[in-house]
Structures are given as C-alpha cells and as structure tokens.
Amino acid sequence: MKTEFFKIKTAFSFGFLAFTSSTLFAENIIATKVNSSFEGIETSNIIKDLKFTEISVYPQKTIVLNDKSVAEKNSQNISKIIKVSAIYNDSDIAFVIKWQDRTLSIQEGYKTDIYGDGFAVQFPKDYSDPKKLPYIGMGSENREVLVHLQKAVPNIYEPNGNGNVELQISRNNTNYFDEELKQFDQNVSNLARIDYQKSFVSAGFRSLTEIKDDSAKVDMNMVYNHNYGCWKGTLSRKLKDEYINLNSPSFPVAFAIWDGDKNNRGGTKLLSSWQTVTLDGKTGGEVLVSEINNIQTGNLENGKAQFKANCIACHIAGEMKSAMSFMAPDLTNIGGYASSAYIRESIIDPNAVIVPGYNRNAHKNFEWYQIVDGKRISTMPSFSWLDENITNDIVSYVQTLKTQIKEEKK
Ligand code: HEC
C-alpha cells in the first residue's frame, strides 16, 4: 500500500479500548510566500522547486449511475494520489497540481462522445465554522462552494471567430511566422481557456450558477507530460474577491480530477476531502487546521457492528448492502472525501446537509428527501439518541470506508 491519506501516528484502535479524543492530522498544505507575480506561472521558474503535499482523491460513489458502459468502466473503483503545492504573494495565490493519467484525453471541438481530462479547485464561500463546511464537491443549501474548473482542450484555433469548429485549423496549416505565429498561438490558448474554463457558485446539483463576468477571474492551465504520462495543472487567482476571502492564516480547499478516458459525463471524477492550506508566516489558523483534519479514533470493531445494525438497511458500503440499500447514498468511499465532523453531523442531524443529488422523479419510496413546507427533510432518521461512545465508534468506522490506492493500469 502506498501513502494513506492520514498520517497515522498511533494505532487506530487497541482491541476493545476505545479512544474518544482525536489527535491525528492529515497533512496541511503550506503556501510559501514569494515576491514575484504569477503571470505565466505554468512555465515559470518559481514553481520549479516547490515542495508538494500528497493528497488522495476518490471516485465519488455517492450516486449509482444508470449508464451501463460508464458503470463498467468505473467498476474498478481506484483512487489516486495527486500532488499539490501552493504559493502566494501580496495579492494572489497559486496552486500547482500534478497527477498521473496514462490515457491522455482531450475534448475535441464540440464532440459529445469524447471527454476531456480536467481538474477543479474549490473553496467554501464561508468557512468561519470549520465543523460546518459545505457538502463536498457540489456545495449544499446555505453552504455554497466556489468551483474553478478546467478541461483539457486541443490547440486548434477557429480562425473566423464565429464559433464554427468545422473550420478549425492547426498551427502547422497556417502560413504565419514569427510574431504572427505567436499571436496565433496566443489566440489559440485564449480561445481554449475561454471555452473550457468555468467558474461557478454551487449550492448543490441543479443549482450551479456560472460566473460569466470577470468577478471571479482565475488563470488556469493544463500541461501534459508525455514522458511521464502526467498532468500539471495550475491555477492562480486573487486572494480575495466578492466570493471568497483566502487572505487568512488558513482556509479549506478541495480538489477534483477527471479522467476523460472513463467515459462518464465529463469523465470520471475523483475527489479529495476538504484539505487545509496555511499561508506561511501567518499565525492563528491552527484551530481550523485541526478541526478539519481531525479523525475520530474509536473502537472499529464495535463501529462496524453498529453500522451493520443501524445503517445498512439504507446504505451500500462496499460489499455490505441489503435489499433496500440503494435508497440512500452509496457510502463505499465516504471516508475518502468526508471529514469526521461531516459524518458525525450526518448521523446526529441528517437535515443539516441534505445530499443534493437524487432524481426527484424517483419512486416515492426511494426519495432521499421530502419537501415539507418548502423545506427539504431527509428520509434518514436522526441517530442523536445513540450513546456518545457508540456514535464515536460509528464515525471512526465510517471514516475507514474508502478504496485503497492502486497503481493505475494502462
Ligand atoms: C432510513 C434510511 C437510512 C438509514 C437507516 C440511515 N441513513 Fe444515512 N442517509 C439516508 C439518506 C436518504 C441520505 C441522503 C439524504 C441526506 O443527506 O440526509 C443519507 C445520508 C447519509 C450520509 C451523507 C452521505 C453523503 O454522501 O454525503 C451519511 C454519512 C450517512 N447517511 C450515514 C449514515 C449512518 C452512519 C447511518 C447509521 C447510523 C445511516 N446513515 C442510517 C438514509 C438512511
């Protein structure tokens, strides 16, 4: 097994001895302060010697997909490690993300049967209470996320500027030289970025609002290294704009990558949990870092038994399932992208965050929530009546639900 997400410093559980305190942390990303500007950062020297933090990303299994070919391609359920680094200056912050993907996929033109590789970086709009972060990936009601998304695009340029991709030409077929060719390349990359780069605010599936003006401006790029079969993505943005304020000692961030080869609408998505970034040289962010990276260490054996008794009627978790267990989110990888605080909240107060993803036209018996007086009410009952030690054991166990990291097969 390669690096696990959590750096385990002590044994998880000693037989029947249950720990209720939690002192283990995931690795924090430390953003180094630099003086240079981030223009052209994807090729700049300032990112040459950066220190990278390893982060695991997991297939978001929450929703069982209907598409058979997609389901087959994703049945392997393989998680990956991505490497992330961050730097900041007085006004901006930049992230560099590297990951392996041996099957280069580029979304060509507007074909609908070819999907591009891609990556996304997201931030909670409000992180003043680190125990109540938005639903990972999409945000949730009253807990919005800001998402920046970039998809891999070909270096072709549609010369008429009228959007007719049939007329796209490659740089080899132009008769431009020198400055004209430079301008051509610039046009190509601008076109590509504008077309396949999106920022949006989201409060759950079906409630994305794309930001089309410059108010959340980012600079994003993807560069593929054919020798190593890996992508390098870069993102730079203002530390502060009208959506988010990252100019604080530490803040949460999450990452997603798409593998276009896997066919899913937009490619298979692998998602991290909320990570923490600390701006080097600033103090006072320790509470946020420890709250978000906190893991519950209870009795795993008892947690599993309690989980079987109380939860499997509705939920799938890996091999564990019952006749009705498709009527709730699939928890197979939940430990990979949910924090202990989120899992605890889900158990004690299911209405706090309603997983915003299920088809509303589903049969009444299989709905994930009902709408009562205009408010969503989860069909999951609250388990707040459980003994606190039992809840701790369940949280501890649910955190272990995640697939192992494997080397990718070609
Ligand atoms: C009666 C069916 C039912 C039972 C029993 C049940 N759940 Fe749920 N659970 C749901 C439904 C439906 C949702 C989705 C709606 C929501 O977010 O509340 C959900 C959501 C969740 C989520 C959030 C999943 C995500 O993708 O973010 C977690 C975590 C969870 N449940 C854990 C548990 C645990 C642990 C137990 C046992 C202590 C349990 N559930 C028992 C129906 C159930």
Side-chain angles (χ1 to χ4, degrees):
M1 193 178 73
K2 249 193 108 191
T3 326
E4 254 289 353
F5 171 52
F6 293 107
K7 299 270 176 228
I8 309 285
K9 289 182 189 138
T10 20
F12 220 38
S13 115
F14 294 110
F16 295 102
L17 223 177
F19 288 98
T20 47
S21 69
S22 6
T23 47
L24 309 174
F25 302 104
E27 215 172 332
N28 180 35
I29 301 163
I30 302 196
T32 315
K33 177 105 196 254
V34 296
N35 289 322
S36 31
S37 103
F38 296 152
E39 232 181 285
I41 185 172
E42 63 278 8
T43 51
S44 152
N45 274 334
I46 47 171
I47 64 170
K48 284 249 156 67
D49 300 316
L50 293 179
K51 187 185 163 286
F52 284 82
T53 302
E54 294 192 340
I55 292 167
S56 306
V57 289
Y58 294 84
Q60 197 173 21
K61 280 268 178 186
T62 315
I63 292 162
V64 182
L65 298 159
N66 283 327
D67 188 323
K68 226 177 135 195
S69 79
V70 174
E72 265 165 30
K73 286 208 173 194
N74 289 301
S75 60
Q76 284 191 55
N77 189 25
I78 291 175
S79 54
K80 274 191 192 183
I81 290 181
I82 63 172
K83 294 184 175 186
V84 177
S85 193
I87 45 177
Y88 75 106
N89 61 26
D90 286 334
S91 58
D92 295 294
I93 182 146
F95 291 89
V96 183
I97 300 133
K98 292 186 192 171
W99 70 100
Q100 188 141 61
D101 181 346
R102 297 191 203 276
T103 52
L104 171 68
S105 311
I106 287 181
Q107 183 140 15
E108 275 179 56
Y110 292 89
K111 285 184 186 158
T112 52
D113 55 344
I114 296 177
Y115 305 95
D117 298 331
F119 76 104
V121 180
Q122 69 169 261
F123 307 95
K125 273 188 81 174
D126 177 6
Y127 54 90
S128 52
D129 183 350
K131 284 192 171 144
K132 294 189 185 298
L133 294 181
Y135 174 70
I136 190 84
M138 273 294 179
S140 41
E141 236 177 357
N142 304 321
R143 297 189 196 176
E144 292 172 314
V145 289
L146 175 69
V147 183
H148 298 300
L149 167 70
Q150 176 73 54
K151 284 297 182 89
V153 289
N155 277 353
I156 41 180
Y157 172 51
E158 188 279 285
N160 301 330
N162 63 6
N164 185 352
V165 289
E166 300 298 312
L167 299 175
Q168 283 171 336
I169 52 171
S170 88
R171 82 199 289 282
N172 304 333
N173 297 339
T174 65
N175 34 26
Y176 301 138
F177 294 99
D178 301 333
E179 285 306 310
E180 270 185 340
L181 192 59
K182 252 193 205 158
Q183 184 57 49
F184 176 86
D185 285 340
Q186 189 56 50
N187 288 344
V188 169
S189 66
N190 287 348
L191 180 94
R193 274 187 239 149
I194 288 163
D195 260 9
Y196 292 91
Q197 187 178 302
K198 290 198 160 107
S199 293
F200 49 86
V201 169
S202 175
F205 298 92
R206 285 181 235 94
S207 63
L208 304 183
T209 311
E210 192 180 340
I211 304 166
K212 294 198 165 147
D213 59 16
D214 273 353
S215 57
K217 203 170 172 316
V218 281
D219 191 1
M220 286 174 94
N221 267 292
M222 286 175 76
V223 182
Y224 192 70
N225 184 320
H226 288 270
N227 293 335
Y228 295 105
C230 59
W231 279 108
K232 181 176 77 185
T234 48
L235 171 144
S236 64
R237 74 175 326 281
K238 291 258 160 298
L239 274 166
K240 187 173 181 223
D241 60 23
E242 63 180 87
Y243 304 93
I244 48 172
N245 182 5
L246 308 177
N247 199 1
S248 80
S250 51
F251 60 83
V253 63
F255 304 94
I257 56 169
W258 277 261
D259 185 351
D261 181 54
K262 295 276 168 17
N263 246 9
N264 196 349
R265 210 172 72 133
T268 292
K269 179 184 179 186
L270 298 161
L271 184 66
S272 78
S273 59
W274 286 116
Q275 306 290 313
T276 52
V277 179
T278 296
L279 300 186
D280 200 20
K282 300 200 181 199
T283 48
E286 297 80 7
V287 171
L288 180 130
V289 171
S290 71
E291 293 269 8
I292 293 176
N293 297 329
N294 162 57
I295 65 173
Q296 184 68 47
T297 53
N299 183 318
L300 293 178
E301 261 168 77
N302 187 45
K304 183 173 184 177
Q306 294 288 342
F307 184 78
K308 271 190 176 157
N310 292 300
C311 322
I312 284 305
C314 299
H315 289 283
I316 298 173
E319 298 299 307
M320 269 195 267
K321 54 184 107 164
S322 71
M324 296 293 276
S325 52
F326 47 86
M327 60 184 288
D330 182 340
L331 300 181
T332 300
N333 282 339
I334 190 80
Y337 41 77
S339 66
S340 67
Y342 176 79
I343 296 167
R344 181 181 304 279
E345 186 186 57
S346 298
I347 296 171
I348 291 171
D349 183 10
N351 289 325
V353 172
I354 308 262
V355 179
Y358 198 60
N359 176 7
R360 273 190 218 160
N361 301 320
H363 187 278
K364 246 188 146 341
N365 294 349
F366 306 133
E367 279 169 356
W368 288 1
Y369 57 85
Q370 312 275 333
I371 295 180
V372 180
D373 295 335
K375 241 187 106 27
R376 292 178 186 176
I377 306 292
S378 175
T379 49
M380 174 168 164
S382 162
F383 285 84
S384 57
W385 50 270
L386 283 173
D387 182 84
E388 201 188 320
N389 287 331
I390 294 178
T391 306
N392 288 341
D393 292 350
I394 297 177
V395 173
S396 308
Y397 175 70
V398 172
Q399 284 210 296
T400 67
L401 294 173
K402 54 185 164 184
T403 179
Q404 304 289 312
I405 312 280
K406 278 197 215 125
E407 245 320 286
E408 197 185 347
K409 285 200 206 111
K410 182 142 189 168

